[in-house]
Amino acid sequence: MAQVVVVTGAASGIGAAVARHFARLGARVVVADIDERRGTAVAEEVHGLFVRTDTTREEDNLALIAAAVEAYGGLDLVHLNAGIGDGGGFGEDDYDAERQHRVLAVNLHGVMYGLHAALPALAAHGGGSLVVTSSMAGVGMAPFDPVYAATKYGVIGLVRSLAPTWREQGVRINAICPGVVRTPILPPEAVDYIEGQGFALAEPAEIAASVAGIAASEEAGHAYVLQAGRAPEPVAFPELDLVRSDA
């Protein structure tokens, strides 16, 4: 039986590449995005289903998962990929509370709503995989966009904290932390600068192949750094060693 795959933020970039990759593997793909024109085009290309989804709305996330289950009978993989950048900084010239709230709403609250909607549906279908897109900014530093970095750290905390409980119900949760990827989130001048400095940009198709490999594995609770020309590298997090009160 063909896999059923749901991808948010799938109208372009990494999400569109993931949709195309799984469609080539024979999966039934549900394309979710707020961009109806480009999202519909990707869905038609992969012979899948488009569901307009504003991931900052809990009801949209619930409706997306319900539509996928109704159309295809269940779920095997959900990739919560929707995200935006440019939350600004904390100086006099770049502090913008409204812009910060928008980045938090999409990158963090949107993932929370997606997890709440998708995890029970995956478990009800006998288990499966859920992948969340974080970023290398979520395990390092991003002085150019600290609010974006904060949200990407946050989703890794969600993944690692939820993974043990949901693993018991057959659902494997992992995060990916892409480095610099050639997607619309990068303006042309940024691409020119990065390449001019001699740094490699990963292609969305390369990231999509890594997502497929991670989703197919039995691992859970990991965050994988994805860079151009390299295999996925799991981040080594320190183990907590709590101090006992009688020590």
Side-chain angles (χ1 to χ4, degrees):
M1 182 177 293
Q3 277 193 314
V4 179
V5 178
V6 173
V7 187
T8 68
S12 63
I14 291 172
V18 170
R20 293 181 181 114
H21 185 92
F22 278 98
R24 287 194 295 271
L25 296 177
R28 295 174 174 177
V29 181
V30 180
V31 173
D33 206 288
I34 199 168
D35 187 330
E36 294 188 50
R37 181 181 64 82
R38 291 193 294 179
T40 298
V42 172
E44 290 176 352
E45 178 186 344
V46 302
H47 305 289
L49 172 68
F50 173 72
V51 180
R52 185 191 183 280
T53 307
D54 179 350
T55 57
T56 68
R57 295 168 53 87
E58 184 174 19
E59 55 267 39
D60 278 23
N61 286 273
L62 292 167
L64 166 64
I65 298 304
V69 172
E70 181 178 357
Y72 299 126
L75 292 176
D76 298 289
L77 167 64
V78 175
H79 183 190
L80 302 178
N81 170 72
I84 60 173
D86 194 19
F90 291 83
E92 292 183 2
D93 298 331
D94 61 353
Y95 182 85
D96 186 328
E98 184 176 344
R99 188 168 64 183
Q100 290 179 355
H101 281 296
R102 176 63 180 166
V103 174
L104 286 165
V106 175
N107 293 2
L108 188 55
H109 295 153
V111 170
M112 291 179 176
Y113 294 146
L115 288 164
H116 171 66
L119 287 170
L122 285 164
H125 191 55
S129 182
L130 192 147
V131 177
V132 177
T133 298
S134 178
S135 168
M136 280 184 63
V139 291
M141 295 186 297
F144 55 89
D145 199 344
V147 178
Y148 173 81
T151 63
K152 295 305 184 178
Y153 269 91
V155 298
I156 290 175
L158 281 169
V159 165
R160 298 188 67 225
S161 299
L162 289 168
T165 298
W166 286 93
R167 181 64 181 267
E168 295 175 0
Q169 299 187 53
V171 182
R172 306 176 306 281
I173 312 173
N174 290 288
I176 59 168
C177 303
V180 186
V181 185
R182 196 186 305 275
T183 68
I185 201 171
L186 283 178
E189 58 271 21
V191 172
D192 292 342
Y193 175 79
I194 292 165
E195 291 184 326
Q197 295 297 309
F199 295 108
L201 276 80
E203 298 297 333
E206 182 179 0
I207 304 300
S210 293
V211 169
I214 292 165
S217 77
E218 293 301 317
E219 299 296 329
H222 293 290
Y224 294 90
V225 171
L226 307 181
Q227 297 194 74
R230 296 184 181 178
E233 302 173 24
V235 178
F237 292 99
E239 294 292 334
L240 291 180
D241 184 14
L242 300 179
V243 177
R244 295 186 177 276
S245 59
D246 57 354

